[in-house]
Amino acid sequence: MNGPDNAASAANAAQIARREASFVRMFNLGIKYAAFPRQRAFHVSTSKYRLFGGAAGPGKTKALLMEAIAQAHDHAGVNTLLLRRTFPELEGSLLQYFRRDVPRYAYRSFSESKHQVEWLNGSITRFGYCANESDVYQYQGGEYLFIGVDELTHFTLRQWQFLTSRNRCAARGSFPCMAGATNPGNIGHAWVKSLWVDGQPAAGMEAADEYNGREYEFIPARFSDNPIFAADEGYKATLTALPTHLKRAFLDGDWDVIAGQYFDRFDLRRHVGRAEEIEWKPWWPRWISIDWGFEHPAATYWHAQAPAADAQGGGPTDRGGAGEGRPVVGAAFDGFTNDGRRGMCEQGREFAAAQMAASARADTRVVTYREYVTHRTAPRDLAREIIFRSRDGRLATEESREKIETIYLSPDAFARRTDEASIAEQMGDVFVAAGLPRPIPADDDRIAGWMLMYQMLEAGEWLITENCLELIRVLPTLIRDPARVEDAEKMDGDDAADAARYGLKSRYAARRSGAIRLPREQRLAEQVTSADPTIRAMQARKALMAESNRVFPVSFGRRRRP
C-alpha cells in the first residue's frame, strides 16, 4: 500500500475503534443499541458530510439519534444538534425515539422548553426545527461537534450551508462533522442529489469551486437492510402497492423519481435530443428567455420553432412509436392525453389546451437548444455574454450571429435598479448596440406556464438539446406546491425552469395575440408536407401563388404639415 492508502486505513480503523468504544459507554449507561450492518457503515464513516438512507425503513432516524448521542459521549462538554423541519415532525420522530430508547438515569436533565438533554459528562444534545427559512439563524451563536438533519430533503440548500458554519468544536482530538438521513423527494431533492448521489456542486451553491466530493459519502440503505422489516411481508406489500413513483422512491431508494413530481411525464429518451442531429433552417424563428439573478443564478435559454416540413421520418419518434426512441424535430403529433389535466384549474387548462391545439395545427415543435447559467454577473456583462453566445457555431464569419426575434426578460428586471437605469435598460442598451432587440417583460403566469410546459412535453411539442444540462437536471426535480397544487413549489436552483417557462409561455401568448407573423420561408415550408416529389412541387407552386396574392397593409410615412 502507498502512503495515502495507509493513512486512510488507519483513519478508518481509528474511527471504528472510537465508535465501538462510544457504543460500549452508551450500553453501560443503559442505552441499548445494536446497529444493523448498514447503520454500522454509517457510524464508522470518516467523511465530514454523510448521507444515510434513500429508501424507507432502514432505521435512518434511529441511526441519526444514536450518532448524536455517541458524539456527545466521545468528548465531555461538547454540543450536538438534531433537526427536523417542523416541530410536529420533531416530536413524532427524534424526540419520540429519545424518550422511548434512552432511560432516564442515562442523562442528567432534559429541558422540555429548550428541548435539550444534558448528559452525565456535561455534553448537550439539542433537538430543534426550522419551519421557516430564517429559523436556522437561531443557531447562529452555537458551536456543534455534530449536526444531524433528519429528512434532509425537506431543507433548503441555504439552510444547510448556514449550518455548516456552526459545525465546529474546540475540544482536543474532535472531528466536527454533519450527517443527513432522508428519502428522495421534496424541495431539497435536487441539491441533496447533486452533492451526494451525483458528486457535483449543487445549483446556487456558494463557492461551488471549493466543493470537494471526497468530503461527502452516501450510504444507501433499503428497508430490507433492516432485519425487523425485512421479514415483514405486510410492510413490503404496502410499499409495493404505492403509486409507481412513490414505490420507486420508498422501496428502491431511486433518486431519479420524486414524490409529488410536477413533470412526471419528462422522459430523457423522448424529450432530449442532440443538436447536431437537427436539420436547422435559417428561417426558423428564434428567441431568447432570461431569468435575471445576481445572488441567485441568472439563467438564459435560446429557443427555435421548427416546422413539421423539416422532419426526417414519418412518426413522433425515429422508431415510429409514440413515446419511444429519440424524437425527430418537427414530427407531427396527434395531440395529448387527458391524464395530465387532472387537478388543473380551468383557466390554466383552457389556456394550455388552446395553445397546444394551435401548435398542433401548425405542426411545429419548440426546440430549446442553448443554455447559459451564471452567478454574480452584472447586467451589462450578462448581455455581452448572451451576444457572444448567439452565434451559429457552423459559421466563422461576422454574419454568423443568429437572427433573434425577441428577448423575454423576467419582469422584476424592469423595476430593479443598480444605478441610473433599470437592469432591463442596461441590458437593452448593450443588446441594441449589437443589433439584437431590446428585451420585453416575460409572461410570468406561473400556473398557466407550468401547465403549458407539462402539456407540451406530453404531446411531444418541446425538445431540449442535451447541452442544456441545468434545465434537464432541474425539470424532473420540481414538485407541486402543497398550498397551490397547480403551481410548482419554489426551490433553490429552479432558475433554469423559470427561464424556460418565460420562453414558452411568453411566445405562445404573443402568438395568440397576433404579435408574431411567421417568416415567408416558414409560411411556404409549412404548406409543403408531402413526401412525394410531384405532390411537393404542386404544393410549393400553390403556396407561392397564395403568397403572391396575400395583401399586407402598406405603411406610409407621416406627412409633415407646412
Side-chain angles (χ1 to χ4, degrees):
M1 281 189 182
N2 56 30
D5 289 336
N6 286 329
S9 297
N12 289 334
Q15 174 65 5
I16 293 173
R18 181 165 50 248
R19 191 53 64 238
E20 294 292 351
S22 298
F23 289 149
V24 169
R25 285 192 293 270
M26 291 164 57
F27 183 85
N28 292 336
L29 291 172
I31 305 173
K32 296 178 174 57
Y33 173 56
F36 308 140
R38 296 308 293 166
Q39 290 175 324
R40 187 173 186 275
F42 166 72
H43 291 305
V44 301
S45 169
T46 58
S47 297
K48 185 171 180 61
Y49 305 115
R50 287 168 283 168
L51 180 69
F52 181 50
K60 302 185 297 293
T61 301
K62 181 72 170 286
L64 205 63
L65 171 65
M66 292 303 167
E67 179 69 15
I69 295 176
Q71 296 261 4
H73 286 85
D74 282 346
H75 303 276
V78 300
N79 297 314
T80 60
L81 175 65
L82 289 168
L83 295 171
R84 280 295 298 256
R85 189 62 198 254
T86 68
F87 180 71
E89 292 170 342
L90 178 70
E91 184 74 29
S93 57
L94 290 163
L95 282 174
Q96 179 181 336
Y97 280 33
F98 167 75
R99 293 181 178 121
R100 183 192 69 187
D101 298 334
V102 179
R104 175 62 186 85
Y105 55 80
Y107 55 89
R108 183 173 298 164
S109 63
F110 180 78
S111 171
E112 289 288 351
S113 60
K114 295 182 180 180
H115 302 107
Q116 66 181 35
V117 56
E118 182 179 359
W119 304 102
L120 300 179
N121 67 349
S123 293
I124 290 175
T125 296
R126 182 176 180 182
F127 298 84
Y129 62 95
C130 299
N132 300 310
E133 181 78 14
S134 60
D135 286 349
V136 72
Y137 296 113
Q138 64 185 299
Y139 308 107
Q140 186 163 353
E143 295 184 2
Y144 301 96
L145 169 63
F146 173 76
I147 300 176
V149 186
D150 197 15
E151 295 300 345
L152 181 58
T153 55
H154 291 201
F155 288 73
T156 67
L157 175 61
R158 285 193 171 188
Q159 289 177 317
W160 170 264
Q161 288 193 292
F162 177 81
L163 289 171
T164 62
S165 70
R166 305 298 92 202
N167 184 216
R168 58 189 184 185
C169 181
R172 184 176 181 180
S174 64
F175 175 61
C177 59
M178 298 174 62
T182 195
N183 298 316
N186 223 291
I187 60 172
H189 177 96
W191 71 264
V192 172
K193 182 175 183 287
S194 290
L195 295 181
W196 278 278
V197 181
D198 298 333
Q200 63 183 18
M205 188 176 183
E206 295 286 345
D209 55 335
E210 297 180 8
Y211 170 80
N212 183 359
R214 289 174 295 183
E215 293 185 326
Y216 295 78
E217 182 180 0
F218 175 42
I219 299 98
R222 302 170 61 181
F223 89 99
S224 56
D225 294 313
N226 184 336
I228 298 174
F229 291 141
D232 189 340
E233 293 297 328
Y235 183 60
K236 181 178 180 180
T238 299
L239 295 179
T240 304
L242 290 171
T244 301
H245 65 284
L246 291 178
K247 175 185 173 183
R248 289 174 60 189
F250 293 156
L251 182 63
D252 303 326
D254 190 342
W255 284 87
D256 291 328
V257 294
I258 308 170
Q261 184 179 23
Y262 195 101
F263 294 107
D264 54 2
R265 294 294 191 271
F266 183 72
D267 186 341
L268 290 173
R269 297 171 300 173
R270 186 183 182 201
H271 301 121
V272 178
R274 298 176 64 88
E276 58 269 26
E277 294 179 357
I278 299 173
E279 188 179 350
W280 298 95
K281 303 296 182 182
W283 60 79
W284 287 0
R286 300 181 187 229
W287 66 99
I288 293 173
S289 58
I290 308 168
D291 181 31
W292 159 256
F294 187 77
E295 293 298 336
H296 285 280
T300 305
Y301 288 93
W302 285 254
H303 314 269
Q305 192 158 2
D310 291 288
Q312 300 297 320
T317 68
D318 57 1
R319 296 179 187 174
E324 297 178 358
R326 188 175 299 281
V328 175
V329 175
F333 284 76
D334 294 330
F336 46 88
T337 65
N338 294 324
D339 294 343
R341 300 181 183 180
R342 296 179 185 140
M344 294 183 175
C345 67
E346 285 300 316
Q347 182 178 3
R349 183 171 63 194
E350 290 173 1
F351 173 87
Q355 302 314 309
M356 288 303 303
S359 178
R361 287 193 298 271
D363 288 335
T364 62
R365 167 182 285 180
V366 172
V367 182
T368 300
Y369 63 92
R370 186 181 295 129
E371 164 183 276
Y372 178 56
V373 180
T374 184
H375 181 58
R376 286 181 171 270
T377 303
R380 293 184 177 89
D381 291 336
L382 176 60
R384 294 186 187 100
E385 292 291 341
I386 293 172
I387 293 168
F388 175 75
R389 286 166 171 76
S390 298
R391 295 178 180 272
D392 189 333
R394 297 169 297 179
L395 303 175
T397 64
E398 286 297 323
E399 290 74 26
S400 64
R401 183 174 299 144
E402 297 165 343
K403 182 179 179 181
I404 304 297
E405 291 187 357
T406 314
I407 300 177
Y408 299 107
L409 179 61
S410 49
D412 61 322
F414 290 81
R416 196 179 306 171
R417 295 177 177 271
T418 59
D419 50 24
E420 75 286 351
S422 69
I423 290 168
E425 290 168 342
Q426 295 176 57
M427 296 181 68
D429 291 343
V430 178
F431 285 142
V432 170
L436 270 65
R438 190 174 290 275
I440 61 176
D443 188 329
D444 194 21
D445 187 338
R446 289 179 58 87
I447 291 178
W450 297 130
M451 291 178 184
L452 177 63
M453 293 167 68
Y454 186 99
Q455 294 194 8
M456 288 182 72
L457 287 171
E458 189 169 45
E461 294 288 343
W462 182 24
L463 177 69
I464 305 170
T465 56
E466 63 181 8
N467 56 305
C468 298
L469 300 178
E470 192 63 21
L471 180 59
I472 294 169
R473 184 192 67 81
V474 168
L475 275 181
T477 69
L478 295 180
I479 63 172
R480 294 187 179 275
D481 189 336
R484 302 177 68 203
V485 294
E486 318 297 345
D487 197 0
E489 188 167 14
K490 290 292 294 179
M491 54 175 268
D492 290 322
D494 64 358
D495 314 271
D498 284 334
R501 173 170 54 84
Y502 291 149
L504 300 185
K505 179 66 170 63
S506 303
R507 181 72 177 186
Y508 274 108
R511 290 190 67 178
R512 182 178 61 172
S513 66
I516 296 176
R517 184 164 64 92
L518 298 178
R520 181 174 183 271
E521 294 88 346
Q522 183 173 349
R523 294 197 303 270
L524 292 173
E526 289 183 352
Q527 303 301 313
V528 184
T529 59
S530 177
D532 183 88
T534 303
I535 298 178
R536 287 178 64 86
M538 295 172 62
Q539 289 176 335
R541 180 177 177 81
K542 183 178 179 180
L544 283 170
M545 293 178 62
E547 189 70 21
S548 63
N549 292 331
R550 290 175 63 116
V551 178
F552 298 102
V554 179
S555 175
F556 294 95
R558 186 182 297 272
R559 181 176 297 178
R560 181 177 296 176
R561 294 182 179 180

